[in-house]
Amino acid sequence: MRGIVIFSGSSHQNLTQHICQRLSCEPGKSFLSKFSNNETRVELYESVREQEVYIVQSGCGHVNNNLMELLIMIQACKTASARKVTAVIPCFPYSRQPDVPYKRSGAPLTRAPPMTVPSTPHDTVPSTPKEQASNVNNYENTLADAIEHMRLKGPWNEAPTQPDANGYRQWVARSGTLVAELLMCAGADHIITLDLHDPQFQGYFDCPVDNMSSLPIMIKYIQHNIPDFEEAVIVSPDAGGAKRATAIAEKLQMDFALIHKERRRPDKPQKHDLMLVGDVRDRVCILIDDMLDTSFTVTKAAKLLHENGATKIYALVTHGVMSGDALERIEKSYLDKVIVSDSVPQEDHTRKCSKISTFTIAPLFAEAIRRIHNGESVSMLFDPNYELF
């Protein structure tokens, strides 16, 4: 393609290579490394003057290093007179962290409770100047003691991990807004990503954001790789993913089930029971989720489905981060197969866990880049009937 340069960050060079193969072009030449003091070093060996530049960098692995590398690459392209710079971020970093504190009930709490200070009693009015001076001195001493107590034992010395009596989580970093502002400040003119954990994240940007969907690819995977899929049940492992799962179930005219977390202890919100809504006995179950990180959600869901008579259990997930002991947990679980996209490098995961398999998103991003470059609509990419392959 003419007038386009595609650079790869260090997070997922294989995906960039596959995207370029689909577009019949070569990745832009660059040099990415670290200085001796661990600062990020970026050198571009490709002319980008008056070119449209696409930088592919996924938010995985060493997330902070990859994010900084992406910011520097964007700024380098803008400095080199690139006409437009688009950040292609298949797995968007920091998109799961809340932007505002929340109450236990789930309602946002955007303002901290007012700070209270000692006040003078209003029951009696001092009658003499001597009594007035005494009350003022007592008030000043009490206030000074309170300030000293807050300085020594205040919440800034030890960050609270649980909400206070009013449900307010103090000093919750607004990382979503920060990352968006960093990308725009670096010079990003456009963002392309995939299955944001919270679609409202797009509102943090002042530039266009194309949040692509993996649902069409998942639908085709189910049709082509799961025998007798019409008799299977689509299952959402939590209420938050119900909309995503029902979209697939309606498109394929399949039954739907939901796993609900029922919190029985108001004083211990982290304690909950799982409740299955729907019939899965003697049925194949397909769990649908957007991200697999610690794998607690899908493995517990698989256990519940097994206890309710499911014969075979698949998990179909967009972003397979799988950090910590996730792979070991999956291997020991009732999951028969876990299918994830290659938005995150999966070579190590597939080698360590026999239950992991992948589907590629390279055709989706390649077609999105082609359409955006040519000024065409990307709405067709949300249609499962559109042939990408």
Side-chain angles (χ1 to χ4, degrees):
M1 296 180 65
R2 291 183 176 272
I4 183 174
V5 180
I6 301 177
F7 287 110
S8 174
S10 58
S11 65
H12 202 345
Q13 296 182 352
N14 286 341
L15 178 62
T16 308
Q17 188 67 42
H18 293 155
I19 291 174
C20 290
Q21 288 176 359
R22 296 281 302 188
L23 296 173
S24 301
C25 65
E26 292 293 329
K29 297 178 181 179
S30 62
F31 180 74
L32 308 174
S33 65
K34 295 285 186 182
F35 288 106
S36 58
N37 61 353
N38 211 36
E39 291 180 355
T40 300
R41 178 183 181 183
V42 173
E43 296 181 15
L44 304 181
Y45 297 150
E46 194 95 13
S47 175
V48 298
R49 183 175 295 275
E50 293 302 318
Q51 302 286 312
E52 282 194 17
V53 178
Y54 294 82
I55 304 174
V56 182
Q57 182 81 305
S58 195
C60 57
H62 300 287
V63 177
N64 295 329
N65 289 340
N66 293 336
L67 177 60
M68 180 56 65
E69 184 179 85
L70 174 62
L71 296 173
I72 296 175
M73 292 181 74
I74 293 172
Q75 192 271 342
C77 292
K78 296 297 286 188
T79 304
S81 302
R83 180 162 56 90
K84 179 183 177 182
V85 179
T86 299
V88 181
I89 313 174
C91 183
F92 206 101
Y94 291 95
S95 62
R96 290 189 298 166
Q97 298 191 19
D99 191 57
V100 294
Y102 287 88
K103 297 180 181 178
R104 289 182 179 179
S105 62
L109 183 59
T110 58
R111 183 174 298 176
M115 181 180 294
T116 58
V117 296
S119 59
T120 55
H122 298 284
D123 297 337
T124 59
V125 179
S127 57
T128 64
K130 185 176 181 180
E131 291 179 352
Q132 293 178 359
S134 176
N135 285 343
V136 170
N137 290 335
N138 291 336
Y139 174 76
E140 290 178 347
N141 292 335
T142 303
L143 181 60
D145 292 341
I147 293 174
E148 180 66 14
H149 176 77
M150 293 173 67
R151 185 184 70 82
L152 296 176
K153 299 184 179 181
W156 45 80
N157 290 330
E158 183 177 355
T161 57
Q162 297 295 332
D164 61 11
N166 296 316
Y168 182 77
R169 295 179 184 271
Q170 301 183 35
W171 295 286
V172 176
R174 306 185 69 174
S175 54
T177 306
L178 175 62
V179 172
E181 291 178 350
L182 285 172
L183 288 167
M184 291 184 295
C185 183
D189 301 300
H190 195 165
I191 306 293
I192 306 176
T193 186
L194 177 69
D195 284 350
L196 284 171
H197 186 71
D198 185 356
Q200 295 180 357
F201 198 86
Q202 300 175 75
Y204 300 155
F205 291 88
D206 293 331
C207 64
V209 178
D210 283 315
N211 182 25
M212 310 308 298
S213 175
S214 64
L215 293 189
I217 304 177
M218 289 184 174
I219 289 173
K220 289 184 178 179
Y221 184 93
I222 293 173
Q223 291 174 325
H224 298 154
N225 296 278
I226 297 181
D228 300 324
F229 70 90
E230 299 90 347
E231 304 300 324
V233 181
I234 298 293
V235 183
S236 175
D238 52 36
K243 184 177 180 180
R244 183 185 310 106
T246 53
I248 295 179
E250 290 175 359
K251 186 65 180 180
L252 296 176
Q253 297 181 350
M254 299 169 62
D255 291 337
F256 170 74
L258 171 69
I259 295 177
H260 173 64
K261 293 180 181 178
E262 187 177 19
R263 304 188 187 278
R264 299 181 181 273
R265 296 285 301 275
D267 57 326
K268 294 183 179 180
Q270 70 276 12
K271 299 291 184 181
H272 58 262
D273 295 330
L274 296 181
M275 181 175 62
L276 177 64
V277 181
D279 183 19
V280 299
R281 186 165 299 279
D282 299 326
R283 307 281 292 276
V284 174
C285 293
I286 307 172
L287 288 161
I288 304 294
D289 209 350
D290 66 325
M291 183 168 289
L292 181 61
D293 190 357
T294 61
S295 78
F296 277 114
T297 300
V298 294
T299 53
K300 289 181 179 179
K303 180 181 179 182
L304 181 63
L305 294 174
H306 176 78
E307 292 172 350
N308 282 268
T311 58
K312 199 167 187 178
I313 304 170
Y314 296 89
L316 198 54
V317 185
T318 304
H319 305 296
V321 179
M322 289 178 274
S323 59
D325 299 331
L327 292 175
E328 181 180 354
R329 200 171 292 113
I330 291 171
E331 194 69 48
K332 296 178 180 179
S333 70
Y334 290 102
L335 290 165
D336 294 286
K337 194 173 185 180
V338 178
I339 307 100
V340 296
S341 78
D342 58 353
S343 64
V344 173
Q346 299 295 338
E347 291 80 8
D348 289 342
H349 298 159
T350 54
R351 185 175 63 254
K352 294 178 181 178
C353 182
S354 59
K355 294 183 178 181
I356 305 294
S357 63
T358 63
F359 62 89
T360 182
I361 57 171
L364 175 65
F365 277 94
E367 183 65 12
I369 291 173
R370 187 193 69 80
R371 285 177 168 269
I372 291 171
H373 176 66
N374 294 331
E376 302 175 14
S377 172
V378 298
S379 60
M380 290 294 295
L381 301 181
F382 295 87
D383 184 2
N385 296 322
Y386 184 78
E387 293 295 334
L388 283 171
F389 301 92

